[in-house]
Amino acid sequence: MRAGETPRRVESITTMNRERLIEWVETHTDEMIADFQRLLRAESIRSEPDPHAPFGRGVCDALDIVLELGERFNMRPRDFDGYACDLEIGTGNEMVASLSHIDVVPAGTGWTKPPFGALIENGYIYARGATDNKGATIASLYAVRHSKSWTSH
């Protein structure tokens, strides 16, 4: 904080209405899982580039899904020529960033489930990229989406 600035009160998880948060998550769980499965089904393995997909069609398809989610969640999506994207909310000079990636390495052998099937079994989603890093991408998007529903004063 700079000299002369008034501290801002930031609402934290310990002070915000936990029931409201739990209700929001429960209300959006099915939607979140469906979006997660959709992203997992994108075979975002680097392949031959084309003019609009510098890392190949699969990576571009995954990037398009993230951009569409940003638009659906009333963020301001920007596509950097297929190399990366960002999803912005709010205004001002300060920012918070959450970085992730949506490309995956080839699945290889030994899978007991289709690597891009995003099948749910016994409460687990099986797919390439589920824990590295498509899960974190979806979690970040939904966290930002929810944060827009409460304000700091």
Side-chain angles (χ1 to χ4, degrees):
M1 191 165 72
R2 296 183 193 117
E5 285 186 339
T6 303
R8 291 181 294 173
R9 182 177 172 269
V10 177
E11 194 173 6
S12 72
I13 189 71
T14 58
T15 60
M16 70 184 279
N17 185 327
R18 289 174 190 254
E19 289 78 27
R20 194 174 91 200
L21 173 62
I22 291 167
E23 180 182 326
W24 190 93
V25 169
E26 288 174 349
T27 301
H28 293 85
T29 295
D30 290 343
E31 177 189 9
M32 190 180 331
I33 290 170
D35 288 335
F36 187 30
Q37 287 178 297
R38 185 171 159 225
L39 184 58
L40 289 169
R41 289 181 179 127
E43 296 186 29
S44 54
I45 300 167
R46 187 176 187 152
S47 61
E48 289 298 313
D50 74 32
H52 302 289
F55 300 114
R57 179 60 22 215
V59 175
C60 184
D61 290 345
L63 189 68
D64 286 345
I65 291 168
V66 172
L67 289 164
E68 182 272 323
L69 289 172
E71 192 167 305
R72 197 173 90 208
F73 298 163
N74 297 313
M75 299 173 186
R76 292 183 302 279
R78 292 188 302 174
D79 181 352
F80 296 96
D81 299 322
Y83 288 93
C85 74
D86 72 6
L87 309 171
E88 189 177 58
I89 65 168
T91 60
N93 293 327
E94 296 179 348
M95 70 168 56
V96 174
S98 173
L99 303 175
S100 65
H101 65 90
I102 52 174
D103 61 319
V104 297
V105 297
T109 60
W111 283 81
T112 59
K113 311 274 188 276
F116 296 98
L119 299 175
I120 299 175
E121 187 175 292
N122 297 320
Y124 293 93
I125 298 178
Y126 293 90
R128 186 57 144 170
T131 58
D132 181 15
N133 198 281
K134 293 179 179 182
T137 300
I138 292 294
S140 292
L141 285 169
Y142 272 81
V144 170
R145 180 183 179 192
H146 173 66
S147 73
K148 290 173 55 177
S149 70
W150 54 279
T151 59
S152 300
H153 299 287

